[in-house]
Amino acid sequence: MKQITKYVIKNSLKRIFLYRACLVRLKRMGVEKVFSFTLGHETGVSAAQVRKDFSEFGIKGNKRGGYEIDELLTIMENIFHKNKDHNIVLIGMGNMGQSLSKYSRFIQRNMNIVATFDIDPFKQKMRSEIQVYPMNRLKEIIERFRVKVAIIAVTEISAQEVADELIRHGIMGIVNFAPVLLKVPQNIVVNNVNLCDELESVIYIVHNNMKADSFKNIELLYKDMRY
Amino acid sequence: MKQITKYVIKNSLKRIFLYRACLVRLKRMGVEKVFSFTLGHETGVSAAQVRKDFSEFGIKGNKRGGYEIDELLTIMENIFHKNKDHNIVLIGMGNMGQSLSKYSRFIQRNMNIVATFDIDPFKQKMRSEIQVYPMNRLKEIIERFRVKVAIIAVTEISAQEVADELIRHGIMGIVNFAPVLLKVPQNIVVNNVNLCDELESVIYIVHNNMKADSFKNIELLYKDMRY
DNA sequence: CGTATTTTGTGATTTGTTTCACATCAAATA
DNA sequence: TATTTGATGTGAAACAAATCACAAAATACG
């Protein structure tokens, strides 16, 4: 059954990413051990939360000794299957697609965009580090590189169609930059990234803070008047 | 006090964005009224959740009659201050920055990138729809356009420094694409967008689902053996 | 070697979020 | 106009996530 599946990415998983980034930084600085307190402090998380998260992912430390950074990173690599490479395809070589295809951090983290696709033959001729293929070669490439995850960066209108085709050819996970909720079978993972919403929510909070601030002032004033 | 502030963007707010996008679509299709059930169904949310969210944002419908789409959209515009334009600055005209500067959806939603900045004089000469300024003109531009929100798309190394400067000149909210946790005063809103993490979390879930699936098969097998 | 100290790991508790269930109201109908 | 119908709005209940608090373990130190 096709439907809007909600693979909510758990906060604990997001925090694990935070921890990892922080650990990498600490390691570069020459630090070898951390306590839950330190790691929490650096990532804006309570020490207990760090330990609970670790416990959820089956990570054990040393009583009194804290956690060995190298050891932690190795465990995390295993959790995230960083020992193997991950082949990705990217559909849509418009503005955002092109930028994503050049995004070097993906490679640094063993995620390789092995091929990009576009319906526009002009974009296919474009000189780009990664080959741009026409859509009819999707199946072939996905199979050849055993691709399981795709990035959709096409327009709102064609996103659903592209998703359907990807899934037909064996894609199991999608990062979707198009502002539509994709209808997919239950077992397919979809992560929607909506840049407008990200920006807009900041604007919203900033505005409301400013309003809240003015209320705060009124309250303060009131207190001053009473005492 | 500077610290890692956690302005967690509430799920209810994210859902309001979902509802709005859906309402816009329904409106385009000629629909005039929705029930919480319909809207929920289209966005993958329960009807009760829709009503609770609306209640949180002070949105009232008509008993029995559901919600007038036009009315809803007007209320949401007010909530998100869509009556006014919002001026944004963008720092860092590398790969991601350039792409964001051309991202047309921002404009469609009344969010205008009024100026972009880069340290690199070469990028400043680059032909681009939006003027690229050197960093020393930040203060001037922020003040002239009364900018309150900024996008950071610089490297990991300079992100904190840039954030400090932005805040010094009156920026109250930041969407941060650099993979660092910015340390900012309490009242500053930061929304981190980490594209690697978005992709990586999908890979993680896909992998674990596949593992879970194989377990499921074992379970099924077991059942078959028993009955 | 025993005691003090410090940090983990995890039940118990609190806090927050989602769902349930139903009173309430507005429209439709007779 | 009275009655039925059907959707909202919201306390109460169930569920989920985060914090607290402390036993257990490992190290340091006398």
Side-chain angles (χ1 to χ4, degrees), chain A:
Chain A
M1 239 293 278
K2 266 188 11 172
Q3 55 179 84
I4 299 161
T5 337
K6 290 250 155 169
Y7 266 102
V8 188
I9 287 158
K10 285 216 282 178
N11 288 331
S12 53
L13 179 57
K14 288 187 195 163
R15 283 193 301 266
I16 294 280
F17 285 118
L18 274 186
Y19 303 148
R20 189 178 50 169
C22 182
L23 289 167
V24 169
R25 215 184 65 234
L26 288 171
K27 187 183 166 164
R28 268 207 299 269
M29 287 164 60
V31 184
E32 285 177 7
K33 287 203 289 184
V34 275
F35 302 128
S36 58
F37 175 83
T38 326
L39 194 54
H41 186 80
E42 287 301 306
T43 50
V45 167
S46 75
Q49 181 79 81
V50 173
R51 296 200 299 275
K52 260 277 154 77
D53 288 338
F54 280 5
S55 141
E56 185 184 330
F57 284 86
I59 298 172
K60 301 253 159 191
N62 317 300
K63 289 246 163 79
R64 172 133 193 188
Y67 303 84
E68 206 96 23
I69 289 185
D70 271 326
E71 210 175 301
L72 272 183
L73 285 171
T74 310
I75 295 169
M76 287 184 182
E77 276 191 6
N78 284 330
I79 291 173
F80 297 125
H81 314 92
K82 284 288 130 188
N83 28 359
K84 11 182 185 313
D85 276 14
H86 297 281
N87 292 335
I88 315 288
V89 290
L90 164 61
I91 324 296
M93 280 297 269
N95 175 34
M96 198 37 77
Q98 282 179 47
S99 174
L100 290 168
S101 76
K102 291 181 217 147
Y103 196 63
S104 55
R105 283 182 211 290
F106 290 148
I107 299 159
Q108 285 164 27
R109 288 224 232 155
N110 292 22
M111 303 183 288
N112 306 315
I113 297 178
V114 289
T116 68
F117 294 83
D118 205 291
I119 34 161
D120 183 349
F122 179 72
K123 297 222 177 87
Q124 290 159 27
K125 278 180 216 131
M126 193 178 58
R127 73 182 201 82
S128 154
E129 314 240 329
I130 303 160
Q131 174 83 45
V132 184
Y133 292 97
M135 291 299 284
N136 59 21
R137 300 197 50 198
L138 245 184
K139 181 182 161 70
E140 173 203 337
I141 306 278
I142 287 177
E143 285 171 3
R144 188 187 329 153
F145 291 98
R146 297 174 195 286
V147 181
K148 286 277 158 261
V149 172
I151 301 173
I152 292 183
V154 302
T155 59
E156 202 169 341
I157 303 123
S158 38
Q160 181 63 57
E161 197 186 331
V162 167
D164 292 345
E165 199 171 340
L166 286 168
I167 292 162
R168 208 159 43 238
H169 297 136
I171 291 298
M172 299 298 287
I174 294 170
V175 179
N176 173 37
F177 284 84
V180 249
L181 288 177
L182 301 172
K183 298 207 168 126
V184 299
Q186 282 202 323
N187 59 326
I188 304 295
V189 181
V190 178
N191 187 10
N192 293 298
V193 179
N194 190 323
L195 300 178
C196 275
D197 290 358
E198 300 294 345
L199 182 51
E200 206 157 358
S201 50
V202 170
I203 294 174
Y204 172 77
I205 299 175
V206 165
H207 266 263
N208 280 48
N209 273 5
M210 293 199 298
K211 263 195 279 177
D213 274 351
S214 52
F215 284 132
K216 238 183 265 166
N217 289 340
I218 290 166
E219 225 177 282
L220 281 175
L221 195 63
Y222 182 56
K223 271 195 196 153
D224 284 346
M225 278 159 47
R226 296 224 315 193
Y227 310 126

